[in-house]
């Protein structure tokens, strides 16, 4: 198994375990066992539990941000906004445990969690801020819109709605959820 495949398995195992048990209660042994790798492999690749979690948070956040960037790429601003909302819903639908981790752990103060919150702000929420900034510049959104707060609000709204959908109403169609979110956004943001 290559380094990328190993990292992917470790990412999945760690995220699931943290979502189930919390950060403090999750051990490297449990992660290694669930990922199907030797404990030594974890330490060889990362050095410590803290380094493992830091690297895996960065990896997950970058994957999340890349998904959002790809959705927005080359789109007209309001179409890009809809595409990013859809991409966030889809990513959370596929990586529900990671989204739970972001809500439960990433906004804690100090250390790796503060670093993770900064990465979410810079990379994932930053994609939304860029889309909103372009929409304001194109005259598609009101000129006095605070794009930083707006981007955080959209990101948080979609994250919360997506988790509620996956937890309480998984049978609902993602397109229906996205359409409702976009109706809400159009009513609140469009000039």
């Amino acid at each position: 198994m290559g380094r990328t495949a190993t990292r992917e398995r470790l990412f999945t195992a760690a995220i699931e375990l943290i979502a189930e048990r919390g950060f403090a209660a999750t051990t490297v042994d449990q992660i290694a066992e669930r990922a199907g790798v030797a404990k030594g492999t974890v330490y060889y690749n990362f050095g410590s539990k803290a380094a493992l979690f830091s690297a895996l948070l960065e990896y997950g956040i970058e994957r999340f941000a890349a998904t959002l960037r790809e959705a927005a790429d080359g789109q007209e601003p309001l179409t890009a906004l809809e595409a990013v909302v859809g991409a966030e819903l889809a990513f959370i639908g596929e990586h529900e445990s990671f989204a739970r981790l972001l809500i439960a752990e990433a906004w804690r103060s100090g250390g790796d969690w503060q670093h993770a919150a900064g990465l979410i702000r810079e990379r994932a929420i930053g994609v939304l801020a860029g889309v909103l900034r372009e929409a304001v510049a194109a005259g598609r959104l009101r000129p006095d819109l605070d794009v930083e707060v707006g981007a955080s609000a959209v990101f948080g709204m979609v994250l919360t709605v997506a988790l509620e959908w996956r937890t309480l109403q998984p049978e609902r169609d993602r397109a229906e959820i996205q359409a409702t979110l976009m109706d809400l956004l159009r009513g609140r943001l469009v000039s």
Side-chain angles (χ1 to χ4, degrees), residues 17-18 21-28 30 49 53 105 108 113:
L17 284 163
I18 294 168
R21 302 172 184 189
F23 174 73
T26 300
T27 68
V28 172
Q30 292 165 338
K49 177 181 171 181
F53 287 118
E105 304 282 359
R108 292 182 185 207
W113 300 117

Side-chain angles (χ1 to χ4, degrees), residues 31-105:
I31 295 166
E33 182 180 333
R34 186 165 296 187
V37 302
K39 181 178 175 179
T41 301
V42 177
Y43 286 112
Y44 175 77
N45 279 286
F46 299 100
S48 70
K49 177 181 171 181
L52 165 68
F53 287 118
S54 180
L56 292 175
L57 279 170
E58 277 200 43
Y59 176 74
I61 291 165
E62 186 48 47
R63 283 181 57 201
F64 195 7
T67 298
L68 302 182
R69 280 192 304 271
E70 288 166 13
D73 194 34
Q75 304 277 354
E76 179 276 325
L78 291 185
T79 304
L81 178 61
E82 186 164 357
V84 170
V85 167
E88 186 176 348
L89 282 170
F91 188 91
I92 292 166
E94 293 170 29
H95 304 282
E96 186 178 336
S97 294
F98 180 67
R100 289 184 191 292
L101 171 68
L102 292 181
I103 283 189
E105 304 282 359

Side-chain angles (χ1 to χ4, degrees), residues 3 12-13 20 24-25 57 62 82 90 102-103 107 161 181:
R3 185 173 171 89
T12 301
E20 291 167 14
L57 279 170
E62 186 48 47
E82 186 164 357
L102 292 181
I103 283 189
W107 302 105
V161 167
L181 288 168

